[in-house]
Amino acid sequence: MDDLRPTDPARIGGHRLLGRLGAGRMGVVYLGRTDAGALAAIKVILPEHAGDEEFRTRFRREAEAARRVDSPWAVSVTGADTESERPWLATEFVPGPTLSDIVARRGPLPVRSVTVLARLLARALAAVHAAGLVHRDVKPGNVLLAAGGPRLIDFGIARAADATALTATGLVVGTPGFLPPEQASGNTDTAGPAGDVFSLGCLLAYAVTGRAPFGGGAVDAVLYRTVHDAPDLDGIDDAHLRALLDRCLAKDPGDRPAAADLDTLIAEDVPAGATADWLPEDVARIIADRSAALLALPDIDATVIEEPGPPEPAPGRRRFLLFAAGGAVALGASAFAAVRLTRDEHDGGGDGAPGGRRWIIGVHADLTGPLSAAGRAQERGARLAVDRFNALDDQPFRLAVKVLDDQGDPARSARVAEEFARDPEVVAVIGPTGDETAGAALAAYDEAVLPVLTVSALLMAFPARANGSFFQAAPSYAELSFPIVHRLLLRPDVERLGIVIDRSGGQTAYQGGYATNLMAPQLTTGTTHPRVVPAGTTAFGPVVTDLLSHRSDALFYAGDAAGASRVARTLAERSFTGPRMAQHTVMGQEFLKQAGAAAEGWEFVAPFSDASAPAAATFAAAHRKRFGAAPAAWSAEAYDVTGLVARELAALTDAAATKATASAKNATASSTPPGDGRPTRSALTAAIAGARYEGIARTYAFDEERQQLVGQDAYLYRVEKGRYRYVGPAPKPKS
């Protein structure tokens, strides 16, 4: 759950809002609590859609449909106002994961769990049909799992069984892979209760096998197989469940049982009380953890604001205003290690600007530790950007570079941050290089409101910060999963992606592998088969055997270079020729050397550009001229963000000079002369937060809330003839 934003209302329809459960193009879903303490999920339509009468009609119909369904296994409506300025709908709150989340996270469910699921969801559908409705979107993402049983949700496209559809002719309504043949053919007029039973059969097959019964890949191919091919039920050994699925998945709607009749065909019954004994222990634990996290909610205040006031600035901007007058915040007198960390370089005549103004951009890097290659590349990129800035004759100041080496050690990284924060000439910092060193440095940078831009620390989330001066100027491991999934699954020869999450790779591997596994069914109709292996695993034969036995057409490895090379050799021994990809963190000579010929053809989606990219030609030439070598990975990205900082500094300085000139015209002889014109750190932070900068590697703009990079620009590399070859920009989803 995310925090409320300043523009969010405090209350809606008698509910005190506690946080955001989700948001989309049409509306926001809040978690609310009544004065009596009951929790509810409240869907509120965005203002731009509230004025659309057709949209309001659909929302009104959704509320009416949900109200008519009376079943303990379907979420019930607790309140609604479809005629207000901002229409809303409140339903009971179920703090459990979706079925799709659980299968993606831990794999197929056991037969007993699926059989219980079948009976209770059949009862939910029977209630839907008894109300004269057709759900039309029964799928794993619309089923919540709770200790006491499942809940069917989302009646957004439900309609009366005898109603005329509001959709265009030929439009497929629902989710490919879980549609009945009559809807997959595009004939929405034939959608009836039997279609929901077919979708339930697809959902149950997915739950027990971990894959959709009509495969994945291109949508057209999935729809064709739904209409013409038999479902894939291989691996379902339970005769009773297999027979049930055969009946539900009959092509002819007339051959399928009614939802109410399914109740007599299934032996398993309702779980006893609110216990989760119908689910595997690990799933019950996930549900308990999710419930505990979401229910640790704040108390209701004695006094609350009924209606929101005028919109306030976004949290980050408001904090910037509070700090703007104070400049840099002084740090406490904590001891700093007595070791020289600094490598200064007064580029381009440092004090040659009018008034001798020289400001410093810091580079916080790993220069002698495990990520030293990336750290040195970023140092060079920053120096080259400063060279370029200082070469312009009309600049109001000159820049210099100050470099501190954290050696890849988190404790040392914190001390490096303290030294940068204490230096009044340092206006911004590029770095740190690694995930752990970045996390360790944030407290000192945040306290000083010193803007910090990292291009290679890619964790999905870092510790909470008060002043928002940290900018993640590269796609996170989660964002990189988008191009990875599109590269591996959006091709005609791949339906199932095998994923190896090797814990030897730490959080980097876990986040990259987990995000890829989670996003695959969200972005495509393909399926996944994930395997998590303990740190230190050296024998990958059983893992690869399991992946191939589950018909994985492609493979993604998240871990370290040693594990990747072992997986590569094992796949080569099995003559596997499907697409193979590993995280970009594997790229290096170690993988090429240990994998040998088995490395050939492996691909990588990386957040860094290459010197051979057309956009980098001028930069690469300048890099060769100054440093005698082509730029390495991460150099162009550091060059970009240093250029962004320099541009915003110059703009702020020009604005301050203009203001000072205007003030001077009205000043008396006793007026205090202006200072050196250096912008405060908080003012520079605010400028960076609102900037849009066209760099070599990508366009840089930052999300207001978390100040992470907006966009998923990444690059594709492939091993060819024993070397890494740059292929080009990584694939993006089509808009």
Side-chain angles (χ1 to χ4, degrees):
M1 182 176 69
D2 295 327
D3 292 338
L4 293 173
R5 299 179 183 178
T7 53
D8 286 330
R11 294 179 70 90
I12 288 178
H15 299 85
R16 168 73 191 282
L17 300 190
L18 303 173
R20 283 175 163 235
L21 294 174
R25 293 178 299 171
M26 304 304 179
V28 180
V29 180
Y30 298 100
L31 177 62
R33 183 161 51 192
T34 67
D35 292 337
L39 295 173
I42 306 165
K43 180 188 292 187
V44 182
I45 300 306
L46 294 175
E48 55 264 36
H49 299 300
D52 182 339
E53 190 53 42
E54 183 178 340
F55 185 90
R56 189 183 283 265
T57 298
R58 288 199 298 269
F59 187 67
R60 187 182 299 118
R61 188 178 65 187
E62 175 183 357
E64 292 171 352
R67 280 186 183 277
R68 289 157 62 181
V69 178
D70 182 16
S71 171
W73 315 118
V75 291
S76 58
V77 173
T78 59
D81 187 347
T82 60
E83 308 306 320
S84 65
E85 184 177 352
R86 291 192 65 181
W88 59 271
L89 170 69
T91 63
E92 66 170 316
F93 174 64
V94 181
T98 65
L99 175 61
S100 57
D101 288 340
I102 288 298
V103 174
R105 181 166 179 173
R106 59 91 63 195
L109 296 176
V111 168
R112 178 175 180 264
S113 299
V114 175
T115 308
V116 172
L117 194 67
R119 186 163 199 179
L120 302 187
L121 291 179
R123 291 180 178 180
L125 285 177
V128 171
H129 299 160
L133 300 170
V134 183
H135 190 284
R136 298 202 300 166
D137 199 18
V138 177
K139 62 180 181 180
N142 279 341
V143 173
L144 296 174
L145 298 182
R151 301 292 190 278
L152 181 65
I153 65 171
D154 199 348
F155 295 85
I157 62 173
R159 65 180 175 93
D162 58 354
T164 301
L166 294 178
T167 51
T169 301
L171 179 65
V172 175
V173 178
T175 303
F178 297 91
L179 287 170
E182 55 269 28
Q183 284 178 249
S185 62
N187 187 354
T188 58
D189 291 335
T190 63
D196 285 346
V197 172
F198 186 96
S199 298
L200 176 62
C202 293
L203 178 150
L204 297 173
Y206 169 82
V208 77
T209 66
R211 61 183 185 274
F214 296 100
V219 171
D220 288 348
V222 174
L223 296 178
Y224 179 88
R225 289 193 292 268
T226 301
V227 175
H228 299 285
D229 293 354
D232 174 12
L233 302 180
D234 287 354
I236 304 177
D237 298 325
D238 184 86
H240 184 80
L241 180 58
R242 179 69 178 254
L244 179 72
L245 295 181
D246 283 335
R247 294 190 62 182
C248 291
L249 295 173
K251 300 293 186 188
D252 186 341
D255 293 337
R256 301 169 202 153
D261 294 336
L262 290 175
D263 199 48
T264 63
L265 300 176
I266 304 171
E268 295 291 349
D269 207 342
V270 185
T275 64
D277 63 352
W278 65 286
L279 290 167
E281 183 179 344
D282 59 336
V283 176
R285 188 166 53 251
I286 292 170
I287 293 173
D289 291 345
R290 181 77 60 92
S291 299
L294 287 176
L295 294 176
L297 301 172
D299 294 331
I300 298 177
D301 296 338
T303 304
V304 296
I305 301 172
E306 280 290 336
E307 298 295 335
E312 297 181 82
R317 299 296 177 84
R318 188 163 66 254
R319 289 192 294 266
F320 301 149
L321 295 174
L322 292 173
F323 279 91
V329 179
L331 294 174
S334 57
F336 185 75
V339 58
R340 179 156 183 82
L341 303 172
T342 307
R343 294 170 57 194
D344 290 320
E345 182 174 309
H346 299 171
D347 295 283
D351 296 331
R357 287 186 292 183
R358 185 206 62 154
W359 302 336
I360 296 174
I361 292 180
V363 175
H364 180 158
D366 175 358
L367 299 178
T368 54
L371 299 178
S372 58
R376 289 193 299 269
Q378 290 175 29
E379 176 191 355
R380 289 183 169 187
R383 291 195 185 281
L384 206 55
V386 166
D387 280 352
R388 179 174 179 270
F389 180 86
N390 289 339
L392 300 176
D393 295 333
D394 58 348
Q395 299 293 20
F397 56 86
R398 288 291 182 263
L399 287 173
V401 175
K402 175 178 179 178
V403 184
L404 300 182
D405 179 14
D406 65 21
Q407 299 180 352
D409 175 43
R412 188 180 176 93
S413 178
R415 299 196 298 269
V416 164
E418 290 173 9
E419 178 171 325
F420 271 136
R422 284 199 303 265
D423 189 337
E425 287 192 294
V426 175
V427 292
V429 172
I430 310 304
T433 313
D435 296 324
E436 292 185 3
T437 52
L442 291 189
Y445 286 136
D446 190 63
E447 185 179 353
V449 203
L450 178 58
V452 180
L453 298 91
T454 181
V455 297
S456 54
L458 309 180
L459 290 180
M460 294 159 61
F462 282 92
R465 300 167 299 281
N467 300 316
S469 61
F470 175 67
F471 297 89
Q472 203 170 1
S476 69
Y477 299 121
E479 293 296 330
L480 287 173
S481 70
F482 285 74
I484 289 170
V485 168
H486 279 84
R487 176 65 178 175
L488 290 175
L489 276 170
L490 286 187
R491 53 175 79 195
D493 58 335
V494 174
E495 293 184 13
R496 189 178 186 89
L497 174 63
I499 298 175
V500 179
I501 302 174
D502 186 347
R503 297 310 293 265
S504 296
Q507 278 296 307
T508 299
Y510 180 77
Q511 291 190 9
Y514 179 77
T516 300
N517 185 51
L518 184 66
M519 295 312 301
Q522 308 275 352
L523 299 173
T524 73
T525 58
T527 59
T528 63
H529 182 66
R531 284 293 305 266
V532 179
V533 299
T537 297
T538 58
F540 283 88
V543 176
V544 170
T545 297
D546 178 70
L547 294 171
L548 298 184
S549 68
H550 283 83
R551 296 184 297 181
S552 298
D553 305 304
L555 184 132
F556 176 69
Y557 172 85
D560 60 9
S565 62
R566 293 186 178 102
V567 171
R569 292 197 304 268
T570 305
L571 286 171
E573 292 168 359
R574 310 292 172 85
S575 300
F576 179 82
T577 58
R580 291 142 291 156
M581 182 179 286
Q583 275 185 298
H584 70 274
T585 51
V586 166
M587 293 176 67
Q589 291 306 306
E590 180 184 357
F591 173 69
L592 294 179
K593 182 178 179 180
Q594 293 187 8
E600 198 72 10
W602 276 71
E603 293 185 341
F604 308 85
V605 166
F608 47 78
S609 184
D610 187 78
S612 62
T618 301
F619 164 74
H623 192 283
R624 289 188 182 93
K625 182 177 180 180
R626 167 146 194 201
F627 300 110
W634 304 112
S635 187
E637 289 71 26
Y639 175 87
D640 282 348
V641 295
T642 305
L644 165 60
V645 170
R647 187 192 72 175
E648 296 306 313
L649 270 173
L652 288 170
T653 305
D654 287 344
T658 300
K659 183 177 180 181
T661 300
S663 299
K665 292 180 180 179
N666 301 318
T668 63
S670 61
S671 296
T672 302
D676 67 356
R678 178 188 289 116
T680 63
R681 289 171 169 179
S682 54
L684 179 57
T685 298
I688 294 170
R692 181 180 177 85
Y693 185 78
E694 298 293 337
I696 295 170
R698 58 178 53 89
T699 298
Y700 295 85
F702 299 98
D703 172 77
E704 284 188 11
E705 186 175 357
R706 298 178 181 177
Q707 296 187 181
Q708 292 178 319
L709 183 74
V710 174
Q712 300 151 1
D713 291 311
Y715 303 91
L716 184 65
Y717 295 80
R718 182 186 300 123
V719 177
E720 293 183 0
K721 299 180 179 179
R723 301 179 63 181
Y724 296 106
R725 186 177 77 83
Y726 173 67
V727 178
K732 286 185 177 181
K734 295 181 179 179
S735 58

